[in-house]
Amino acid sequence: MPPKNPVRSQYAPFSDCPAVLKEYLDYLLTIRGRSPRTVDGYYIEIRSFLRYLKLSRSGLLEPSLEELTPSELFGRTEISDVTLEMIASVSLSDVYAYLNLMNTEFLNSASARARKVSALNGFYKYLSTRTSYLSDNPIQNLDLPSKRKTLPKYLSLEESIRLLECADSPDKTRDFCILTLFLNCGMRLSELVFLNIEDYTDGQLRLLGKGNKERLVYLNEPCRDALDAYIKESAPIRRRDRAIFVSKQGQRLTPRRIEQIVADRLRDAGLSDKGYTPHKLRHTAATLMYQYGSVDVRILKEILGHANLATTEIYTHVSDKQMKNAAESSPLAHRNHGRRSDGENM
């Protein structure tokens, strides 16, 4: 099977980085085989910390005469001249102060701060164990921020059916296909965007997930029918890049355009005020498979392309209906405990 079209980094060759950071990002791309999107995320997070480090060391984060906001200061700060000595001088206190700034001034959520910690841990581990730049890791005891556990947000079965029935735009064949795949397969937005014609064979889709990991997803009849109909209809405008989902000009649809299409169809279905997104449709597919299809959580892990079973287990939450049924199943649920059997008040 031909290889997928390469997904390229938005920021490579990282010319604005100090040499050790550029080396690390190149290492992630070429040696570790991390996806360009993942490496771009690491670049953004580490760049942010080095900006903080440079500003804090120079005292520029103190109230300035220009009264610049932290966001404005960060945007003006170059990191190419950050030295290895400055990077090595970091302490846990520096990272805690940085995370506090991200929380108070930039309003980063716990999840956003956890991404920053993961990026920094990887960078300093590389400097201290993969290379000889640092003799020890100054942040090796840095913990991930505690994140509030929340249940995944998803459409009910009735809402899912309504959404599919409202895919009646001028591009209804395309829109219905997109929604059908999201709601049945639980694929990520990026996985749908980068689908190529050759990825659809023998009733299966080959998806390129996080970390450049490929997996096969088996399609049910509605998915096959929707894909067959859309591929046939869009064949005259499809260009040589072989993307499945294309614009009227034959170019691959962008993630932002897919988000707009989903938002439009949610509005048509009267669901636009509930915060649903393509990722929430992925949650919906997983939840419906588990609750209505009794799909084993280990199989669900493979379908969704999760690296760890713990990630998949968020979908094993019980529904309100299941909790109500459990309450009603109590052997004492239908007894009036406020009265004696002879009718007198207790």
Side-chain angles (χ1 to χ4, degrees), residues 94-130:
D94 291 320
V95 181
Y96 293 150
Y98 166 67
L99 294 174
N100 182 60
L101 182 71
M102 293 296 105
N103 181 35
T104 58
E105 296 293 338
F106 291 85
L107 305 181
N108 278 187
S109 65
S111 295
R113 299 196 303 277
R115 289 194 296 271
K116 288 173 166 54
V117 169
S118 294
L120 290 175
N121 276 333
F123 181 45
Y124 276 90
K125 183 177 180 181
Y126 170 80
L127 295 176
S128 59
T129 62
R130 297 293 181 182

Side-chain angles (χ1 to χ4, degrees), residues 46-47 55 81 84 93 100 116 156 189 229 236 252 274 290 299 316:
I46 300 171
R47 179 185 65 180
L55 288 167
D81 58 346
L84 179 60
S93 296
N100 182 60
K116 288 173 166 54
S156 67
L189 173 60
R252 186 185 301 272
K274 298 194 174 185
Y290 181 79
I299 297 175
T316 62

Side-chain angles (χ1 to χ4, degrees), residues 141-155:
N141 295 320
L142 181 61
D143 294 326
L144 287 172
S146 178
K147 294 188 289 185
R148 182 168 59 93
K149 293 184 178 181
T150 59
L151 295 178
K153 191 171 187 178
Y154 63 97
L155 283 72

Side-chain angles (χ1 to χ4, degrees), residues 331-346:
L332 304 178
H334 305 291
R335 292 181 60 87
N336 187 338
H337 304 297
R339 294 181 179 276
R340 296 181 184 276
S341 58
D342 59 6
E344 296 180 0
N345 290 335
M346 294 181 68

